[in-house]
Amino acid sequence: MASEDVVGKTSERYRILAEEAKLARQNVKAPGEMILSICKSLVAGGVAGGVSRTAVAPLERLKILLQVQNSHNIKYNGTIQGLKYIWKTEGFRGMFKGNGANCARIVPNSAVKFFSYEQASKGILWLYQQQPGKEDAELTPLLRLGAGACAGIIAMSATYPMDMVRGRLTVQTGSSPYQYRGVFHALSTVYRQEGFRALYKGWLPSVIGVVPYVGLNFGVYESLKDWLVKERPFGLVEDSELSVTTRLACGAVAGMTGQTVAYPLDVIRRRMQMVGWKDAASIVAGDGKSKVPLEYSGMVDAFRKTVRYEGFGALYKGLVPNSVKELNMLWSRLHLPALLVQMNQTSAECPNVL
């Protein structure tokens, strides 16, 4: 019996090796290798994302503070002054408030995006191939972008509660009347005091913002790339090909264009996240005498009240530090190629809508 077990195990081992060899010949990764590749992508993406986000965390926090601060009691007035004020009043740790929650959502966000992109790509390709004459068609860049947008929305929705509490953690100061002690304490407190729906406040403008962001991102990138190839300005094009740096620069211009147009929706999202928080009025108003509760009945009401009481310019509060942050993140991408190479195979086609 022992010899039969040995023979059986040996046969099984050879069978597995033969299947893996067959998969390799077909240029298909074995399941174990595929899982390892996905894990490497998630780790690389998590590390690279954490490093890049930590590097720009002070700018990200200042952007959110500018977005939600009371217009009648301005503490943060511009990028340089705002950073100096945070350093003076809260010190080094104050520059990085909310960064832990931001970094913590990178890996689950990447995991959901990775899986969703694969499934969305298959679904979109199947629908595309149902059209007459398209039976053997492949995904076009536009269809890949659509799959990426779907994956981005799904990933954003799955991890949105962490982004919501990150916004609240970010606006807390040392003198705030109530302190969330961390991500899990904030999540449990919001759920207990305000209910499950509160964890998704501001979700709708986030989803709507994907449309102009993705559309402009794709349109500007393709137009700029075609113009450079056709006109060949500044010697940027050789043999009808753009360098990696030039393509990244085109992507940065396209991304900032889309983000600028969609930025008012981000402002409204952050303001809606503060609604229902019993101490939000005190935190947003700071030391001002007016501690009127923050109330918006919905996205349209938030737009209307923001423009009515603060003017159209209020929809672009924090745009400057946000643009500087995006440029710094581009610089990080240029200097972290080894960590980003795995993640970019998927994330390059899955726009980061958050």
Side-chain angles (χ1 to χ4, degrees):
M1 293 296 292
S3 61
E4 291 178 359
D5 290 341
V6 171
V7 171
K9 291 178 180 178
T10 303
S11 300
E12 180 67 15
R13 188 177 297 111
Y14 278 122
R15 186 184 66 79
I16 294 172
L17 289 173
E19 288 182 357
E20 292 185 347
K22 183 178 178 181
L23 288 171
R25 286 195 301 271
Q26 295 175 347
N27 198 27
V28 178
K29 291 182 179 179
E33 185 181 352
M34 186 179 296
I35 293 173
L36 181 61
S37 176
I38 293 173
C39 291
K40 286 181 178 178
S41 297
L42 294 177
V43 172
V47 173
V51 171
S52 61
R53 280 164 173 75
T54 300
V56 298
L59 290 167
E60 176 68 11
R61 185 182 184 217
L62 177 62
K63 179 198 80 171
I64 296 175
L65 288 169
L66 287 168
Q67 288 177 333
V68 302
Q69 76 171 342
N70 191 313
S71 60
H72 301 293
N73 183 46
I74 295 176
K75 287 185 175 183
Y76 312 96
N77 188 16
T79 305
I80 303 300
Q81 183 275 336
L83 291 173
K84 286 182 177 179
Y85 186 84
I86 294 173
W87 180 271
K88 179 181 177 181
T89 56
E90 301 181 64
F92 179 79
R93 293 184 63 184
M95 307 290 279
F96 295 90
K97 278 188 177 179
N99 185 56
N102 197 21
C103 292
R105 71 186 180 92
I106 293 174
V107 172
N109 184 278
S110 299
V112 175
K113 188 183 292 184
F114 193 103
F115 177 77
S116 301
Y117 176 73
E118 293 296 323
Q119 299 305 310
S121 297
K122 292 177 182 178
I124 289 174
L125 180 59
W126 182 83
L127 291 172
Y128 187 57
Q129 290 176 340
Q130 301 308 303
Q131 300 179 17
K134 303 288 187 181
E135 291 78 8
D136 298 322
E138 298 292 334
L139 281 175
T140 65
L142 188 60
L143 292 177
R144 289 183 183 277
L145 191 74
C150 292
I153 291 174
I154 293 171
M156 179 270 293
S157 300
T159 58
Y160 190 83
M162 295 186 71
D163 181 73
M164 189 272 186
V165 299
R166 192 255 296 200
R168 293 195 178 186
L169 287 166
T170 297
V171 302
Q172 287 187 150
T173 64
S175 58
S176 298
Y178 184 86
Q179 295 285 329
Y180 292 124
R181 295 192 295 271
V183 178
F184 294 107
H185 180 249
L187 285 169
S188 61
T189 302
V190 172
Y191 176 76
R192 186 176 63 255
Q193 294 182 351
E194 303 173 48
F196 177 78
R197 291 183 62 184
L199 296 172
Y200 281 88
K201 287 178 177 177
W203 176 83
L204 181 59
S206 297
V207 173
I208 295 175
V210 173
V211 178
Y213 175 76
V214 171
L216 284 170
N217 202 344
F218 180 76
V220 172
Y221 177 78
E222 291 297 326
S223 299
L224 186 57
K225 188 177 68 173
D226 291 344
W227 177 77
L228 288 173
V229 171
K230 182 179 179 180
E231 300 296 331
R232 298 173 179 267
F234 315 117
L236 294 174
V237 181
E238 296 181 4
D239 300 326
S240 300
E241 289 292 334
L242 299 179
S243 66
V244 174
T245 303
T246 303
R247 288 200 300 270
L248 281 172
C250 291
V253 173
M256 291 182 67
T257 301
Q259 200 166 65
T260 299
V261 173
Y263 191 79
L265 288 160
D266 189 58
V267 173
I268 296 304
R269 169 178 67 141
R270 292 299 177 196
R271 294 193 168 202
M272 290 179 69
Q273 287 176 349
M274 303 298 130
V275 176
W277 186 11
K278 65 184 181 65
D279 295 309
S282 299
I283 292 171
V284 175
D287 299 327
K289 294 181 180 179
S290 177
K291 302 290 178 67
V292 180
L294 299 173
E295 292 294 342
Y296 300 122
S297 59
M299 182 182 71
V300 175
D301 186 53
F303 267 110
R304 182 177 60 82
K305 288 181 178 177
T306 298
V307 173
R308 178 180 178 182
Y309 296 118
E310 301 177 51
F312 184 79
L315 296 175
Y316 285 91
K317 285 183 175 181
L319 180 61
V320 173
N322 185 67
S323 299
V324 175
K325 179 199 75 174
E326 292 302 319
L327 289 174
N328 283 336
M329 290 189 71
L330 174 63
W331 182 90
S332 298
R333 282 177 177 268
L334 287 170
H335 289 78
L336 291 171
L339 292 174
L340 288 169
V341 67
Q342 294 273 352
M343 182 184 70
N344 281 344
Q345 293 174 359
T346 296
S347 65
E349 295 159 342
C350 300
N352 183 6
V353 297
L354 297 181

